[in-house]
């Protein structure tokens, strides 16, 4: 079981997050410099404005790209390695308690949450493989990600980012 912390940085345009592993080392960086992010912050819960975010590992060239697609009310994202789609992340059509469905090269996952969207459980075949919790006492958005048996840590970070964009932007 690994626990990492996804912390938002201050930027004027776009998004930037740092990811600290359990040893408090900055192991990943997530950023988007698209000016469309600013527009998405204002109208993104009604009309999804397309933009991309890159997740890169500090000591390698491995990069995951998360793309938000144009949509209406129910957001839709895709995760890419190079030009190959490895996952699609879609918000379910339930308004009371959030549900997100993920179809990936690793199989199908479901994310369930409470109505306040502060604690998320990622499950596969009925078993919880990760949890994502919004840190309560933080000046900027921060998430504690606990990985029990999720196959791809970069994709898990991308999923946490999409949850932030869906519910807390």
């Amino acid at each position: 079981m690994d626990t990492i912390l996804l912390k938002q940085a201050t930027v004027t345009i776009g998004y930037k997050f740092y990811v600290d592993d359990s040893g408090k080392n900055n192991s990943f960086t997530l950023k988007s410099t698209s000016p469309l992010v600013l527009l998405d912050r204002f109208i993104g819960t009604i009309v999804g404005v397309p933009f991309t975010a890159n997740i890169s590992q500090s000591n390698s060239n491995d990069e995951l790209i998360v793309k938000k697609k144009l949509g209406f009310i129910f957001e839709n994202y895709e995760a890419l390695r190079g030009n190959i789609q490895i996952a699609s992340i879609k918000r379910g059509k339930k308004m009371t308690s959030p549900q997100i469905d993920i179809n990936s090269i690793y199989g199908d996952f479901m994310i369930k949450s409470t109505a306040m969207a502060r604690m998320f459980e990622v499950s596969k075949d009925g078993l919880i493989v990760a949890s994502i919790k919004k840190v309560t006492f933080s000046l900027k958005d921060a998430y504690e990600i606990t990985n029990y048996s999720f196959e791809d840590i970069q994709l898990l970070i991308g999923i946490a980012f999409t949850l932030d964009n869906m519910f807390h932007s």
Side-chain angles (χ1 to χ4, degrees), residues 44-46 48 69-77 90-95 99 166:
T45 55
I46 299 167
K69 300 180 100 182
L70 181 64
F72 184 69
I73 298 179
F74 299 103
E75 292 94 339
N76 186 6
Y77 302 80
K90 298 178 183 176
R91 184 171 177 179
K93 307 241 184 298
K94 293 172 89 176
M95 294 303 270
Q99 178 181 321
M166 285 181 198

Side-chain angles (χ1 to χ4, degrees), residues 1-143:
M1 175 175 76
D2 294 324
T3 300
I4 58 174
L5 188 63
L6 178 66
K7 302 180 300 186
Q8 189 173 23
T10 304
V11 292
T12 308
I13 296 176
Y15 281 110
K16 187 165 188 175
F17 286 85
Y18 295 107
V19 182
D20 292 336
D21 60 20
S22 55
K24 303 292 183 209
N25 300 314
N26 184 255
S27 52
F28 294 92
T29 302
L30 184 153
K31 65 181 171 181
S32 175
T33 56
S34 171
L36 294 176
V37 170
L38 192 57
L39 181 61
D40 185 68
R41 286 182 183 165
F42 291 107
I43 66 169
T45 55
I46 299 167
V47 177
V49 179
F51 68 88
T52 61
N54 298 13
I55 303 167
S56 55
Q57 193 166 9
S58 300
N59 56 359
S60 81
N61 291 334
D62 191 21
E63 184 174 69
L64 181 80
I65 298 168
V66 176
K67 284 180 137 179
K68 183 172 186 178
K69 300 180 100 182
L70 181 64
F72 184 69
I73 298 179
F74 299 103
E75 292 94 339
N76 186 6
Y77 302 80
E78 59 183 24
L80 305 151
R81 277 224 168 77
N83 292 329
I84 300 169
Q85 181 177 337
I86 65 163
S88 68
I89 304 161
K90 298 178 183 176
R91 184 171 177 179
K93 307 241 184 298
K94 293 172 89 176
M95 294 303 270
T96 53
S97 62
Q99 178 181 321
I100 292 88
D101 298 313
I102 302 167
N103 297 318
S104 78
I105 61 173
Y106 306 107
D108 295 336
F109 297 87
M110 182 188 311
I111 301 175
K112 289 187 179 179
S113 180
T114 60
M116 296 298 291
R118 297 189 69 73
M119 178 72 169
F120 303 90
E121 291 181 337
V122 182
S123 61
K124 179 181 179 183
D125 300 327
L127 299 172
I128 297 172
V129 294
S131 66
I132 301 167
K133 182 175 104 175
K134 185 165 175 51
V135 176
T136 304
F137 299 107
S138 177
L139 296 175
K140 306 211 180 324
D141 285 344
Y143 295 86

